[in-house]
């Protein structure tokens, strides 16, 4: 049974979904949000205990209501971000239904039909997908992985270094997750850091604020300002600086293959390993859109101005630069949502528009 028909349904109630809700409300568009979690916070609910934003609070706000100053070092903690997103949602009283995982989105001539895991269905003239990446962790193929009898954990499931105390741990991945997790695990365990190439460490005075400005410049085509840094380059947050001082920020190139209890390197030597921590990133969580035939092998969807080329009733918000400059960050989500909401409103109002 169809439980509701709306002009717009926003799938995902993390920071990207909240930002678009703010501007849809301001544009006077009827919408409903559906979120898989049972409470506010999006991916931050699953982040590891010590995670802090790598942008200062002044650079980490959603539209309309700034995040309060951080009680710690100016860089809000995971719990402070969850608290902010919770209070933001309450402040604006957005229409949001929780524990609602959208399984598929299907076409009918008039509407897009959303089928939920819990059996409920909704219809909409337009859908904004803002489901982030956290629920689609990526682990690259490594020969013999199925043979390895030690523990394996993706950063999506990592909470703290305690379970790794006294063990030998392979940390795979050269981005911020890899560097931050290596930093804290190496204080309790013997670590080997595996990266495809030498990691890029940003200067100590560069934080997420500078990365955001450079990402925006790159999207504008302003290559003078863009420099060559990317959001994946490593920000020297305090635990990473401290790990550098301990001399553990040294990485090696990937091993040839797994063995039963470790890995085999190109020079023929073997290392015994108790556990592997995969800090190898995420893909867009777009499985619910596969039924529309618009999702590429890497989870991305071809878009122009955040609108799916193959399905004009579908819009994408968040995920990464392919949907707008730094759109996976708090501040970038606000900027892309500000442009998105009027585009959706105009499409809904277009005479003869089929949406
Ligand atoms: P999410 O927060 O993942 O929200 C998506 C929501 O959609 C979730 O609630 C999810 O449950 C729901 N969902 C998913 N699929 C479905 C479905 N099929 N049906 C219904 N609901 C669904 N960001 C910053 O802004 N600043 C920083 O300084 C920063 N530092 C970071 C440092 C590190 C080391 C890491 C790893 C990340 C950092 N991030 C930072 C990034 C940030 O954590 C994420 O990019 C951000 O949470 C993405 O927001 P989102 O709303 O797009 O997705």
């Amino acid at each position: 049974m169809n439980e509701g028909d709306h002009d717009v349904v926003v799938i995902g109630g993390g920071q990207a979904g909240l930002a678009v809700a703010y501007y849809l409300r301001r544009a006077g568009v009827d919408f409903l949000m559906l979120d898989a979690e049972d409470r506010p916070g999006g991916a931050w609910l699953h982040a590891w205990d010590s995670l802090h934003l790598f942008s200062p609070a002044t650079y980490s706000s959603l539209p309309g209501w700034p995040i309060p100053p951080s009680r710690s070092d100016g860089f809000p903690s995971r719990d402070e971000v969850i608290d902010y997103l919770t209070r933001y949602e309450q402040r604006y009283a957005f229409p949001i239904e929780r524990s609602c995982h959208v399984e598929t989105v299907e076409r009918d001539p008039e509407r897009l039909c959303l089928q939920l895991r819990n059996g409920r269905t909704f219809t909409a003239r337009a859908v904004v997908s803002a489901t982030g990446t956290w629920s689609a962790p990526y682990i690259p193929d490594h020969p013999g992985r199925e043979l390895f009898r030690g523990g394996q954990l993706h950063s999506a499931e990592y909470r703290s270094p305690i379970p790794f105390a006294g063990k030998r741990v392979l940390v795979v991945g050269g981005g911020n997750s890899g560097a931050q997790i290596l930093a804290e695990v190496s204080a309790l365990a013997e670590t080997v850091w595996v990266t495809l190439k030498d990691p890029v460490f940003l200067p100590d005075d560069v934080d997420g604020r500078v990365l955001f400005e450079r990402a925006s410049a790159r999207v504008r085509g302003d290559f003078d300002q863009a420099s060559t840094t990317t959001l994946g380059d490593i920000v020297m947050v305090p635990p990473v600086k401290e790990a550098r001082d301990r001399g553990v920020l040294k990485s090696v190139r990937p091993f040839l293959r797994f063995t039963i209890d470790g890995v085999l390197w190109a020079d023929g030597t073997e290392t015994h390993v108790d556990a592997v921590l995969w800090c190898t990133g995420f893909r867009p969580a777009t499985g619910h859109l596969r039924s529309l035939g618009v999702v590429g092998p890497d989870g991305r969807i071809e878009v122009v101005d955040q609108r799916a080329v193959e399905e004009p009733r579908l819009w994408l918000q968040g995920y990464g630069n392919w949907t707008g400059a730094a759109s996976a960050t708090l501040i970038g989500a606000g900027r892309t949502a500000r442009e998105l909401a009027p585009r959706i409103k105009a499409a809904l109002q277009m005479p003869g528009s089929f949406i």
Side-chain angles (χ1 to χ4, degrees):
M1 190 190 80
N2 183 6
E3 297 203 32
D5 182 50
H6 295 272
D7 280 345
V8 178
V9 169
V10 179
I11 309 174
Q15 59 198 39
L18 291 176
V20 82
Y22 177 89
Y23 284 112
L24 286 173
R25 162 79 55 78
R26 222 163 82 159
V29 173
D30 158 63
F31 70 95
L32 173 72
M33 301 175 78
L34 301 173
D35 186 57
E37 304 294 338
D38 61 5
R39 57 196 193 283
W44 294 101
L45 296 170
H46 305 287
W48 56 89
D49 298 345
S50 66
L51 183 61
H52 282 64
L53 287 177
F54 50 55
S55 315
T58 45
Y59 244 68
S60 303
S61 291
L62 288 172
W65 187 53
I67 189 168
S70 171
R71 287 183 296 276
S72 47
D73 53 2
F75 294 81
S77 67
R78 175 198 65 179
D79 292 344
E80 286 175 323
V81 178
I82 294 173
D83 185 54
Y84 170 60
L85 296 179
T86 305
R87 293 203 279 143
Y88 186 89
E89 188 182 310
Q90 287 164 353
R91 178 185 177 90
Y92 294 106
F94 292 130
I96 180 159
E97 300 238 12
R98 284 241 137 71
S99 303
C100 283
H101 184 105
V102 177
E103 199 75 51
T104 60
V105 179
E106 315 253 357
R107 296 183 176 93
D108 87 6
E110 303 283 318
R111 295 283 188 270
L112 288 174
C113 306
L114 295 91
Q115 187 72 49
L116 275 54
R117 194 169 279 175
N118 58 17
R120 301 172 72 186
T121 56
F122 293 87
T123 51
R125 294 175 66 200
V127 165
V128 178
S129 187
T131 49
T133 60
W134 214 277
S135 56
Y138 170 72
I139 297 182
D141 268 346
H142 273 282
R145 191 160 86 83
E146 68 291 348
L147 297 175
F148 178 61
R149 297 226 186 102
Q152 296 188 51
L153 199 70
H154 190 276
S155 64
E157 301 157 309
Y158 172 84
R159 290 291 168 276
S160 96
I162 305 291
F164 302 97
K167 300 197 167 152
R168 186 181 287 149
V169 182
L170 213 64
V171 178
V172 185
N176 281 289
S177 305
Q180 291 188 24
I181 289 176
L182 174 87
E184 62 181 25
V185 172
S186 62
L188 302 182
E190 188 185 333
T191 48
V192 180
W193 192 18
V194 178
T195 64
L196 284 177
K197 51 188 174 54
D198 281 335
V200 180
F201 299 105
L202 293 166
D204 284 7
D205 59 345
V206 169
D207 60 29
R209 173 181 30 192
V210 179
L211 289 182
F212 173 75
E213 276 158 6
R214 290 178 184 171
S216 304
R218 198 170 301 122
V219 170
R220 287 197 310 269
D222 181 353
F223 290 99
D224 283 347
Q225 273 196 39
S227 132
T228 53
T229 52
T230 73
L231 276 173
D233 294 347
I234 294 168
V235 181
M236 299 308 288
V237 294
V240 177
K241 279 186 203 154
E242 188 269 333
R244 179 183 60 195
D245 296 343
R246 272 190 286 121
V248 294
L249 279 195
K250 297 190 176 76
S251 70
V252 296
R253 300 296 80 82
F255 44 91
L256 280 185
R257 62 176 171 82
F258 278 102
T259 60
I260 284 179
D261 59 0
V263 291
L264 178 73
W265 304 96
D267 65 2
T269 57
E270 274 187 61
T271 303
H272 169 81
V273 171
D274 298 304
V276 178
L277 276 167
W278 296 101
C279 303
T280 39
F282 297 83
R283 294 285 184 257
T286 48
H288 57 295
L289 301 172
R290 289 205 178 273
S291 40
L292 293 171
V294 297
V295 181
D298 59 358
R300 291 192 190 188
I301 292 166
E302 194 188 344
V303 289
V304 173
D305 291 340
Q306 298 182 252
R307 190 176 198 175
V309 171
E310 301 292 333
E311 175 46 79
R313 293 171 289 186
L314 174 66
W315 310 74
L316 285 298
Q317 160 74 3
Y319 301 107
N321 282 342
W322 61 278
T323 67
S327 64
T329 66
L330 282 153
I331 188 167
R335 294 204 186 163
T336 49
R338 188 176 60 206
E339 291 167 10
L340 177 59
R343 285 182 196 137
I344 296 175
K345 183 175 184 179
L348 290 168
Q349 289 176 336
M350 189 132 48
S353 160
F354 65 94
I355 75 165

